[in-house]
Amino acid sequence: MTFQAPKGVKEYVPPQASTFYAIRGKFAETARLAGYAYLETAVFEDTQLFARGVGESTDVVSKEMYTFTDRGGRSLTLRPEFTAGVLRAVLEYGLHRGQLPVKVWTDGPVFRAEAPQEGRYRQFYQLDLEAIGSEDPAVDAETIALAWQWYTALGLTQVRLMLNSLGCAECRPIYRARLQEFLRGLDLDEPTRARIEINPLRVLDDKRPEVRAQLDDAPLIGDHLCAACKTYHCQVKQLLADLGIPWEDAPRLVRGLDYYTRTTFEFDHPLLGAQSGIGGGGRYDGLSEAIGGPRLPGIGFGLGLDRTVIALEREGVALDVPPRCEVYGVALGDEAARSMFKLVSELRAAGVAADMAFGGKGLKGAMKGADRSGAAFALILGERDLAAEVAQVKDLATAEQAEVPLSQVVDVLKGKVK
């Protein structure tokens, strides 16, 4: 077979896929306990949703989107991020007409055409959480806290929270003008100079060393916040402190998308090297109007599943993943195989992860399968056992074996594995 996954596509296969699945499950429970409902959104959207929402000057829109024309001549784009699509769905289905904030979460693949490297892929996976319809520092703190609690529940101990405020429509223009004045005096290429006029904050997010070396004396947004934004930011930090969540002030943190306002944050992990960001987000109070909706403030985040998996590996954290198989059935003979098939089904119905040897394997080959399955117990059934209406239950760790009446097999094994 000569086919392979496309370059830059991250796939998960057993056993690593079990970790991938487990961390999603922990997030689902974290979100549920905080009143967030699951939302499933389209994988591709009208291209203009991202152009207007994310911002045409961003690298995401200008360089990284997978855009195509469908058979009807419509320009569509594979989602490069979740927030714009989630907000579109909230507006389309009228969720904002009910209780506010609308609290939803989702997950799945996201697509960006960038150079593949460890932790950065063209198809990658994110967990996304959004609280839409409220402008309250407590909502900001809750959003950040849920991500922090999830990282902590996974067992990660080296995650750092970077925190900043990007101001509002009142104070941002003043800072924007000061920043443009500073940037125009630097030695920058023409595309970057053009960006100064469109969205100068994006220059601060430039990763090229030759650009970053010139930004040391750039004015900081924190020095230009209006009184309302200063108060708001202090309240967010105080609420985080009340929860015992540590943060680091990151005055140059602007993130990569145009829609962010006020609270902006990023989670870093030092063991991931240059690609240390493992998640982040912020407030986007003007995004709804940008895509044609009513004023609807919101805040959310996207957490990278791929980078979280790497962070767990780097810290040596092994999650408590439910076993793929707890009981493995070994049947000797056709009649025994029929009975075993029914027993395995009954075990599953009782909540026991069960599998069995297929294909008429002999005892030696079937027991090898039992060892490879990771099961704690083997359930052995031969023709002689059938006649006596019993089965053999073998503890694969101790090799101890006991005879159990067929009528009690499910209850006995359920008790042993639970």
Side-chain angles (χ1 to χ4, degrees):
M1 202 275 287
T2 58
F3 293 106
Q4 295 181 328
K7 184 178 181 181
V9 171
K10 179 62 177 175
E11 297 180 304
Y12 292 89
V13 299
Q16 190 185 46
S18 296
T19 299
F20 183 85
Y21 183 78
I23 63 179
R24 290 171 61 197
K26 283 188 179 292
F27 184 83
E29 182 63 7
T30 300
R32 184 189 71 81
L33 291 173
Y36 286 76
Y38 184 74
L39 175 74
E40 186 71 46
T41 63
V43 174
F44 55 89
E45 300 269 6
D46 186 313
T47 300
Q48 283 303 304
L49 175 67
F50 301 117
R52 291 168 59 182
V54 175
E56 294 193 65
S57 69
T58 64
D59 285 348
V60 171
V61 173
S62 63
K63 301 178 182 179
E64 298 172 357
M65 296 202 311
Y66 281 103
T67 299
F68 60 96
T69 302
D70 72 358
R71 294 181 180 181
R74 294 173 287 265
S75 179
L76 301 173
T77 296
L78 296 177
R79 62 187 178 205
E81 58 94 47
F82 273 107
T83 301
V86 169
L87 182 55
R88 187 270 308 154
V90 166
L91 294 171
E92 181 175 348
Y93 296 102
L95 301 183
H96 61 298
R97 299 190 185 100
Q99 182 177 350
L100 296 177
V102 178
K103 300 169 79 172
V104 292
W105 75 276
T106 189
D107 67 339
V110 188
F111 308 87
R112 294 188 189 178
E114 53 186 350
Q117 51 189 296
E118 186 182 40
R120 187 179 289 273
Y121 309 107
R122 291 172 177 169
Q123 175 180 305
F124 55 102
Y125 301 88
Q126 280 192 346
L127 293 163
D128 179 88
L129 182 142
E130 311 288 347
I132 299 169
S134 176
E135 195 171 0
D136 185 331
V139 175
D140 298 35
E142 176 186 85
T143 301
I144 296 170
L146 289 174
W148 184 267
Q149 290 163 10
W150 176 66
Y151 287 129
T152 302
L154 291 176
L156 291 174
T157 61
Q158 298 192 44
V159 175
R160 299 185 306 162
L161 169 59
M162 320 301 289
L163 191 62
N164 195 21
S165 174
L166 294 181
C168 65
E170 213 175 287
C171 53
R172 178 91 68 84
I174 300 171
Y175 171 68
R176 186 178 188 273
R178 284 285 310 278
L179 181 60
Q180 284 177 315
E181 181 182 355
F182 171 82
L183 294 174
R184 287 172 185 143
L186 302 184
D187 181 18
L188 303 171
D189 57 41
E190 286 307 313
T192 306
R193 288 194 170 281
R195 181 170 287 172
I196 293 171
E197 308 308 318
I198 300 170
N199 187 349
L201 269 73
R202 296 291 301 114
V203 180
L204 297 180
D205 198 44
D206 199 306
K207 300 299 189 292
R208 292 173 295 176
E210 64 273 21
V211 175
R212 300 196 71 83
Q214 301 182 66
L215 298 176
D216 289 344
D217 296 325
L220 302 175
I221 181 67
D223 296 331
H224 297 78
L225 295 179
C226 63
C229 284
K230 286 181 180 178
T231 299
Y232 194 98
H233 194 50
C234 287
Q235 289 175 328
V236 172
K237 292 195 287 187
Q238 182 59 59
L239 288 165
L240 291 173
D242 291 344
L243 296 178
I245 297 175
W247 75 88
E248 297 178 33
D249 285 315
R252 298 185 187 280
L253 177 64
V254 297
R255 303 283 296 158
L257 309 177
D258 283 358
Y259 53 59
Y260 286 121
T261 58
R262 284 193 169 173
T263 304
T264 308
F265 57 93
E266 185 171 287
F267 295 99
D268 285 357
H269 197 288
L271 299 185
L272 268 65
Q275 302 297 335
S276 61
I278 60 175
R283 180 160 282 281
Y284 45 87
D285 293 344
L287 179 57
S288 180
E289 293 102 313
I291 64 174
R295 185 181 185 279
L296 201 62
I299 186 170
F301 60 63
L303 308 181
L305 276 168
D306 309 285
R307 296 188 190 183
T308 301
V309 170
I310 297 172
L312 289 167
E313 292 171 350
R314 296 282 167 83
E315 284 201 34
V317 177
L319 296 185
D320 184 15
V321 178
R324 178 174 62 90
C325 181
E326 295 170 306
V327 176
Y328 192 87
V330 174
L332 306 174
D334 293 342
E335 288 302 313
R338 286 183 58 192
S339 296
M340 182 62 72
F341 186 78
K342 185 171 182 292
L343 282 170
V344 166
S345 296
E346 291 172 350
L347 284 165
R348 292 169 181 168
V352 177
D355 201 355
M356 63 178 286
F358 293 98
K361 293 179 180 177
L363 179 61
K364 186 176 180 180
M367 291 305 294
K368 281 185 178 179
D371 290 334
R372 290 169 179 165
S373 74
F377 298 93
L379 179 61
I380 305 168
L381 187 61
E383 301 296 340
R384 189 177 299 174
D385 296 314
L386 269 181
E389 296 186 347
V390 298
Q392 308 299 320
V393 174
K394 184 175 182 177
D395 187 318
L396 294 174
T398 65
E400 294 179 359
Q401 186 167 311
E403 191 173 89
V404 178
L406 284 177
S407 61
Q408 299 176 26
V409 162
V410 173
D411 287 338
V412 168
L413 283 170
K414 185 178 179 181
K416 287 180 176 294
V417 301
K418 300 302 178 186

